[in-house]
Amino acid sequence: MRLNQDRAIREISSSTARFVATSEWLQRSSQRGLFSWLKGGKGRKRRANEHPAAAPEWPAKPQVEEDDFAWLEAAEGEQEARPYIDAENRYTKTVMKDSRPIQQLLYEEMADRVEPEDTVPEEIDGYLYYVRFVEDGQFPVYCRRKADSSNAPEEILVDQNKEAMNHPYICINLLKVSSDNRMLAFTMDTTGGDSFSVHVKDLKTGARLKSDTIPNVVSVEWADDGKTLFYTVPDHLKRPYKLYRHVLGTPINQDELLYEEHDHAFFLHVDRTKDKKFITVMSNAKTTSEVRVIPSNQPTASPVLIHPREPGLEYYIDHRGDDFLIITNVGNQMKDYAIMRVAEKDVGNGREHWQTVLSPSPGTQIEDVDVFSSHIICVFIYSYERSMGLPQVRVFNLENQEVHLVPLPEALCTLHPGGNGVKSHDGTGIPLTLVHKKGLPLSSDNPTLMLGYGAYGQPLEADFRAHHLPLLNRGWVIALAHVRGGGELGREWYRQGCQLNKHNSFHDFVACAEHLVSSGYTSPSRLVAKGSSAGGLLIGAAVNMRPDLFRAVIMGVPFLNPLAAMTNESLPLTIHEYDEWGNPNTDEEVYNYIKSYDPYINLSQPNLRHGRYPSMLVTTSTLDNRVPFWSPAKYVAKLRALQRAEAPHGEEQANGDANDGEAERVVLLKVSDSTGHGGEGGRYNNLKEVAFDHAFLFKSLNMQ
């Protein structure tokens, strides 16, 4: 049972794979490894006039709101921008040319330590399902074998490496096996633009049923009969909104439409309960949800509504016995989730029939839930009660209400609580997680990487990230700023950082950066920051507030012009995002509020005079359906124009001072034409991106 399945739709990574046999089985992307890393120190000083190339200059065309670069948003904007996109990529390649040796060395050391690995098998309906990687393989191989014998032969469901041989890009997202274990349905994108098709494979014969390939599908699920598929399709704005039923062997154009979601704020998703008894049809907005069900053994039945949508009411269901189990925030739209149940016979008769099963204590939130025949397993996150910084896993007996605390493995690190958090502008304590080598002395010379996100109620997890090892082994400090807008401290923490409270996120991040400097962990000349998508918005706004506080930043597929996006309802996701940012089309207060923090709009010469902007690496993709390429492209174009206007004698302000020993300050735009919002597919391709980012940070701090 997944919480708020759609709240981070902008952030869903296309590198994850979901593998489902009887219900949803999530397999996390295996791009991990234990790596050995570089050692080294500072390099030579670079002279200010040693800039290797001239940065591209985009044409200014004054339009509405005095936006010189709004022309990029037009339908023909990408075509007209093509020469400048190509020039930006050439410029980035030229500037980063001298870092190629370190990029290659980093990549090779990471790749050498990537070993073939298998996931832990999970038994479902007499089969053990697992994912494995082959040596030097970019992508996973999805497998199963019969569970009744240790010598049972392996069955390969899909080998993504073989599928990738015929396509420059590939992503396999959903894999679902029919109840009789005979048929496999999986979704695959070969465009990089999140355009998935359903492919059906007969697991007994190995044949692909080409006549049953369904294009442009978002979610898919089997009925009990092993021949009926339910699937959802998107509209022209990529919003899944229609549910169809398909019977194998029949023409796709004759598939029956079962339900259409007319509210543009809601996304439609189809799944199945873990006990396989019901197909679930979920309509999800950011803060409101609604669920219908179809008995799995009655595929021709019409969907039955569990409870009609109410603004601010979220609920998600599973099933056991004769009851539906419900995770919900019932009673308060910002209350943390509780678990309730309702008998099948009382479905549709009102919430007064919902009975509380488990309600967390204040300061506690349910992170995840799994349902079994007589128990449920809950993962709890405690605001101030974590044991060694780990969440708690509890088993709740549904028959006698007894609770068992699952002992977790011994911690692999030592955590030192640091008081009540960093004080933000309004006195709120902001959690700040610091990771560094044991015994690292406090020093203003410590290179420090700040990470932030702060949106959609999505927590910035302090988990193990192998790609940070090259930094940690060189004496870096990694700082995770758990700003408001995320989900670290529950729904109220999220509420304090969204809509008309969004400024809190930016103040929180700046306060954490200032704390790192004032506490002696680092200095502005050694402090860098990184954020992606909505995290890129966080970084962009923080840099506008304090451009002098950071030496370099990386913004990946960043949401840097939210006012333009949120006032354009022809863009994918805009209407769906109103619950997150507000609706500037109907509310003048919201319009002015978004305008007040929009990173693109608030680039200005007065800000440049306040302090030199840091070096920047901004990445985007022309195939990105969530954050269009023009958002970061406009930002870079405007920043360059302002820097040229502000610098003496028309010279770009990006250069370092001739005698200060620091590296040049550059603004780089890296544009992909082959990947979407989730970046490169394949674990080795991903390592190349990591190596490039690290090399940019080393270069920005003049480190070899």
Side-chain angles (χ1 to χ4, degrees):
M1 200 186 308
R2 297 178 59 78
L3 305 186
N4 204 354
Q5 300 189 31
D6 188 58
R7 68 186 175 194
I9 192 71
R10 281 193 191 274
E11 318 308 321
I12 294 173
S13 171
S14 60
S15 65
T16 57
R18 293 207 316 175
F19 192 156
V20 183
T22 59
S23 66
E24 182 177 272
W25 177 29
L26 177 66
Q27 290 290 356
R28 294 173 178 83
S29 174
S30 298
Q31 295 180 347
R32 300 171 296 158
L34 300 177
F35 309 137
S36 60
W37 298 102
L38 289 171
K39 298 191 178 189
K42 295 182 179 179
R44 66 179 179 89
K45 294 182 179 180
R46 182 184 291 275
R47 296 187 298 275
N49 61 359
E50 206 173 328
H51 205 291
E57 184 173 357
W58 294 66
K61 303 177 183 180
Q63 293 182 353
V64 295
E65 288 282 341
E66 299 180 351
D67 187 349
D68 292 350
F69 302 100
W71 60 271
L72 282 163
E73 301 172 33
E76 65 277 7
E78 181 185 338
Q79 182 178 356
E80 189 174 351
R82 174 49 57 185
Y84 305 100
I85 291 173
D86 294 340
E88 289 287 357
N89 283 334
R90 287 193 299 269
Y91 175 65
T92 297
K93 185 176 181 180
T94 301
V95 171
M96 293 296 292
K97 183 177 180 179
D98 61 354
S99 73
R100 287 178 184 172
I102 193 171
Q103 290 181 50
Q104 183 62 26
L105 185 56
L106 284 168
Y107 169 76
E108 289 177 356
E109 292 192 1
M110 287 189 283
D112 286 346
R113 299 301 296 270
V114 173
E115 299 178 356
E117 55 180 324
D118 296 356
T119 61
V120 176
E122 181 171 349
E123 184 173 351
I124 302 174
D125 287 347
Y127 282 85
L128 295 173
Y129 289 87
Y130 56 97
V131 179
R132 64 176 174 83
F133 284 88
V134 298
E135 186 173 359
D136 298 328
Q138 283 267 26
F139 300 99
V141 182
Y142 301 95
C143 310
R144 73 175 184 180
R145 65 174 186 272
K146 289 186 177 180
D148 57 4
S149 172
S150 59
N151 297 321
E154 177 182 83
E155 299 179 33
I156 295 179
L157 305 183
V158 181
D159 185 343
Q160 193 167 336
N161 298 287
K162 290 184 178 179
E163 299 289 341
M165 293 174 65
N166 301 317
H167 307 283
Y169 175 90
I170 189 169
C171 175
I172 291 179
N173 190 26
L174 299 173
L175 295 97
K176 303 209 174 185
V177 178
S178 60
S179 296
D180 60 4
N181 296 315
R182 170 75 182 261
M183 309 301 293
L184 169 71
F186 66 95
T187 60
M188 182 167 64
D189 172 29
T190 59
T191 68
D194 291 339
S195 180
F196 290 88
S197 295
V198 172
H199 299 264
V200 180
K201 180 180 178 180
D202 187 327
L203 296 177
K204 184 175 182 179
T205 66
R208 191 81 61 89
L209 309 185
K210 294 183 179 180
S211 64
D212 291 297
T213 299
I214 309 172
N216 204 24
V217 169
V218 177
S219 58
V220 64
E221 191 54 81
W222 288 102
D224 267 356
D225 60 9
K227 64 179 183 180
T228 302
L229 282 171
F230 298 93
Y231 63 93
T232 62
V233 300
D235 60 15
H236 67 290
L237 296 179
K238 299 290 186 179
R239 178 183 70 95
Y241 76 121
K242 286 184 177 181
L243 173 71
Y244 284 93
R245 178 171 51 224
H246 172 72
V247 178
L248 298 184
T250 63
I252 304 298
N253 60 11
Q254 295 181 12
D255 290 350
E256 183 179 359
L257 175 65
L258 300 181
Y259 180 75
E260 181 174 356
E261 177 55 66
H262 294 284
D263 190 328
H264 288 255
F266 284 76
F267 281 39
L268 198 63
H269 182 84
V270 64
D271 213 325
R272 187 156 66 160
T273 57
K274 189 175 181 181
D275 63 4
K276 303 185 296 182
K277 290 187 177 181
F278 289 92
I279 302 297
T280 60
V281 183
M282 295 164 283
S283 293
N284 294 326
K286 282 286 184 288
T287 60
T288 304
S289 58
E290 183 178 72
V291 183
R292 290 169 171 79
V293 294
I294 302 171
S296 295
N297 61 359
Q298 302 175 38
T300 60
S302 299
V304 175
L305 181 64
I306 295 290
H307 184 75
R309 66 190 66 175
E310 300 177 20
L313 171 63
E314 300 174 57
Y315 72 95
Y316 312 94
I317 73 164
D318 212 318
H319 186 270
R320 65 171 289 276
D322 296 322
D323 295 336
F324 286 101
L325 290 176
I326 304 171
I327 292 184
T328 180
N329 66 341
V330 63
N332 183 337
Q333 69 180 50
M334 289 304 172
K335 183 179 178 181
D336 289 328
Y337 298 105
I339 301 176
M340 309 186 79
R341 74 170 125 202
V342 62
E344 286 184 34
K345 63 182 180 62
D346 292 325
V347 165
N349 293 330
R351 284 199 281 112
E352 60 270 20
H353 294 280
W354 295 11
Q355 300 175 350
T356 300
V357 175
L358 183 61
S359 182
S361 58
T364 304
Q365 61 174 316
I366 297 175
E367 180 75 5
D368 203 357
V369 177
D370 202 358
V371 179
F372 294 85
S373 59
S374 60
H375 298 76
I376 55 176
I377 296 179
C378 299
V379 180
F380 290 92
I381 300 297
Y382 291 82
S383 299
Y384 300 104
E385 303 175 31
R386 289 191 178 193
S387 174
M388 294 300 290
L390 296 173
Q392 289 192 359
V393 178
R394 297 185 180 187
V395 179
F396 184 83
N397 190 312
L398 291 168
E399 307 300 332
N400 58 23
Q401 285 73 55
E402 290 183 354
V403 179
H404 171 68
L405 179 64
V406 178
L408 295 176
E410 181 180 351
L412 300 178
C413 63
T414 301
L415 300 181
H416 301 281
N420 294 321
V422 176
K423 296 298 181 185
S424 191
H425 68 294
D426 58 358
T428 302
I430 310 304
L432 178 64
T433 301
L434 302 181
V435 185
H436 56 75
K437 269 187 176 182
K438 184 178 180 179
L440 182 73
L442 289 179
S443 169
S444 61
D445 197 45
N446 288 333
T448 300
L449 171 61
M450 281 189 71
L451 303 174
Y453 188 71
Y456 304 106
Q458 204 62 2
L460 181 64
E461 299 287 0
D463 51 9
F464 175 73
R465 305 181 188 191
H467 59 267
H468 286 159
L469 289 176
L471 307 180
L472 294 171
N473 287 340
R474 291 172 60 90
W476 283 63
V477 176
I478 309 295
L480 287 75
H482 305 286
V483 304
R484 282 172 284 185
E488 289 85 348
L489 303 184
R491 296 293 285 171
E492 179 61 20
W493 193 253
Y494 162 60
R495 187 191 67 79
Q496 292 180 22
C498 70
Q499 294 193 9
L500 295 178
N501 294 316
K502 190 60 193 173
H503 270 289
N504 287 333
S505 303
F506 316 133
H507 284 292
D508 295 351
F509 194 81
V510 169
C512 289
E514 291 173 336
H515 173 80
L516 291 171
V517 173
S518 63
S519 299
Y521 279 98
T522 190
S523 62
S525 64
R526 306 290 278 175
L527 179 61
V528 300
K530 185 176 183 178
S532 296
S533 197
L537 165 64
L538 174 71
I539 303 301
V543 167
N544 277 343
M545 293 170 65
R546 288 293 306 276
D548 59 313
L549 197 53
F550 305 95
R551 183 58 187 80
V553 298
I554 298 177
M555 295 184 285
V557 290
F559 191 42
L560 291 174
N561 193 194
L563 187 62
M566 297 308 298
T567 53
N568 186 350
E569 293 187 349
S570 69
L571 292 176
L573 304 177
T574 290
I575 298 175
H576 184 69
E577 295 282 312
Y578 285 155
D579 286 335
E580 179 72 21
W581 313 101
N583 185 350
N585 293 312
T586 60
D587 191 324
E588 185 178 0
E589 183 183 11
V590 170
Y591 181 95
N592 291 328
Y593 190 82
I594 295 177
K595 185 178 179 180
S596 72
Y597 66 74
D598 185 299
Y600 172 74
I601 291 174
N602 288 282
L603 284 172
S604 64
Q605 287 178 322
N607 273 351
L608 289 170
R609 296 188 187 106
H610 181 64
R612 290 184 307 173
Y613 270 64
S615 288
M616 294 185 179
L617 172 60
V618 183
T619 66
T620 184
S621 170
T622 56
L623 297 178
D624 194 335
N625 292 315
R626 296 165 192 164
V627 179
F629 87 97
W630 51 256
S631 178
K634 286 174 60 179
Y635 178 90
V636 169
K638 183 178 179 180
L639 178 57
R640 289 243 187 81
L642 291 171
Q643 287 175 329
R644 287 189 174 99
E646 184 65 22
H649 312 300
E651 295 178 3
E652 199 169 349
Q653 197 182 10
N655 288 346
D657 294 333
N659 299 314
D660 65 4
E662 71 170 27
E664 296 154 317
R665 297 190 180 222
V666 294
V667 178
L668 304 180
L669 179 63
K670 186 182 178 187
V671 185
S672 171
D673 291 318
S674 60
T675 63
H677 195 69
E680 287 284 351
R683 53 181 181 167
Y684 291 103
N685 289 340
N686 179 262
L687 294 183
K688 292 179 180 179
E689 286 193 338
V690 172
F692 187 92
D693 288 356
H694 285 345
F696 171 78
L697 297 179
F698 296 154
K699 183 180 179 69
S700 298
L701 298 187
N702 214 7
M703 298 174 65
Q704 294 291 335

